[in-house]
Amino acid sequence: MTNLKNVEWQMFRKKSRFIKWVLLCQLIVVIYYVFQITNIMMPMKGSDVIGYTGSMLIPTTIVADIVFMGILSWKSESINNSQTWRLIPMSNTKFYLANILSNILSCIVIFAIQLAVYGILIFIQDMRGGFFATLHWRIKDFFGLLASGDAFMNFIYMVLFLFLIVLFISTFVSFINFSSRAVTDFISPKNNQWVRWLIIIILVGIGSYMFVNASDITMRLTKNLITGRNANLLTGLIDLELLVGTILFGGLDLWLINNYAESKIVNR
């Protein structure tokens, strides 16, 4: 049997080529908006330009990551449906897990690059007394934040949330792909295409409705508890929802891929 890590790495290499294109598009958008701002507010200091660039990275990062997650989901299902990929001598379960893990690795890489760029811009903007003095000040400030229990827990909750949201989206998209194909396999080829799209729309609608309702119920149940240190409780409960959803859809995905999901003859 083929090693899971090797397959995961090959899938990551296939998906990671989209990282540079998403980051390039984000860079172009940031440069465009900063150029517009500097034209309106000239003259500006170099530190001001860097500050505006850093502030524009935050909203564009959110949009870029959403777009990248969409591309990642499309590529993952192309791999799941590909006859060439499915010829790899490994079990369907390991194949599915390798695909999910490669999604996580891809998201870690793009987010780490975005975070590093943002950190560098903030460092340059706050530079005072020379490079090494600023570096010493930033390191001291960083470890000071880590020493604070609340700051450290907020960081842990944020990382856990990002990890779980990637897992949830990946498993849910795979569930839509596998289940819609399983249903259309029993329908006449003349009708299966529009039926599959109808099933996808219905499943996306049901999944979105359930997730929004579950989040709303959680917020209403905990709104009286979200004060001070208990503010992390809401984030923890949302993480729990994502974890339960991931286990549910992940289990259904494994059942479908082992029993019903067949690869395409035409590969991409």
Side-chain angles (χ1 to χ4, degrees):
M1 299 289 283
T2 305
N3 186 281
L4 186 145
K5 289 185 179 180
N6 292 336
V7 176
E8 177 193 345
W9 178 249
Q10 292 302 318
M11 290 179 177
F12 166 73
R13 289 183 59 187
K14 193 75 173 179
K15 298 171 184 177
S16 62
R17 63 181 181 177
F18 294 103
I19 293 176
K20 61 182 178 183
W21 296 114
V22 172
L23 291 177
L24 179 61
C25 291
Q26 182 184 1
L27 177 62
I28 292 172
V29 172
V30 170
I31 291 174
Y32 171 77
Y33 278 108
V34 171
F35 181 75
Q36 292 292 98
I37 292 172
T38 53
N39 275 345
I40 295 172
M41 302 179 64
M42 289 292 284
M44 294 178 65
K45 298 179 180 179
S47 60
D48 294 329
V49 175
I50 294 172
Y52 279 114
T53 303
S55 64
M56 282 305 304
L57 276 177
I58 297 174
T60 56
T61 291
I62 295 172
V63 175
D65 289 348
I66 292 172
V67 171
F68 181 68
M69 195 64 218
I71 295 173
L72 210 57
S73 298
W74 162 72
K75 196 61 189 175
S76 293
E77 299 319 305
S78 295
I79 290 174
N80 280 330
N81 297 331
S82 171
Q83 189 181 60
T84 302
W85 280 96
R86 295 286 289 276
L87 288 174
I88 295 174
M90 69 186 312
S91 67
N92 288 330
T93 299
K94 286 186 177 181
F95 180 86
Y96 171 79
L97 291 175
N99 204 354
I100 295 293
L101 291 173
S102 66
N103 282 355
I104 296 173
L105 183 57
S106 300
C107 289
I108 289 174
V109 170
I110 190 172
F111 186 69
I113 294 172
Q114 292 166 332
L115 191 62
V117 172
Y118 181 75
I120 290 170
L121 288 173
I122 295 300
F123 179 84
I124 294 173
Q125 186 184 21
D126 293 342
M127 188 177 290
R128 47 193 169 188
F131 175 82
F132 291 104
T134 306
L135 181 62
H136 176 266
W137 173 72
R138 276 296 178 185
I139 292 175
K140 184 178 179 181
D141 186 55
F142 174 74
F143 282 104
L145 285 174
L146 287 183
S148 170
D150 290 340
F152 180 74
M153 287 307 299
N154 287 336
F155 175 75
I156 295 298
Y157 276 121
M158 181 193 72
V159 172
L160 184 60
F161 173 77
L162 293 173
F163 175 77
L164 288 173
I165 198 70
V166 172
L167 277 177
F168 178 81
I169 293 174
S170 299
T171 54
F172 182 63
V173 171
S174 292
F175 171 72
I176 292 174
N177 176 44
F178 294 151
S179 58
S180 61
R181 289 192 174 279
V183 172
T184 53
D185 282 344
F186 298 97
I187 300 174
S188 170
K190 294 181 180 179
N191 303 318
N192 62 6
Q193 194 62 32
W194 69 266
V195 170
R196 181 168 185 264
W197 278 108
L198 179 62
I199 293 171
I200 290 173
I201 292 170
I202 292 172
L203 289 174
V204 170
I206 293 173
S208 301
Y209 176 79
M210 290 174 62
F211 181 73
V212 170
N213 263 325
S215 298
D216 183 59
I217 291 170
T218 301
M219 291 183 70
R220 283 191 280 110
L221 288 174
T222 58
K223 66 179 181 179
N224 295 325
L225 301 174
I226 309 306
T227 54
R229 288 175 178 263
N230 290 330
N232 287 329
L233 178 61
L234 177 60
T235 308
L237 289 173
I238 292 175
D239 287 347
L240 181 61
E241 291 177 5
L242 292 172
L243 179 60
V244 171
T246 297
I247 294 172
L248 174 64
F249 290 118
L252 290 171
D253 290 342
L254 290 175
W255 177 68
L256 288 168
I257 198 173
N258 281 297
N259 294 280
Y260 295 102
E262 296 182 359
S263 56
K264 292 180 179 178
I265 297 175
V266 179
N267 301 293
R268 281 187 280 179

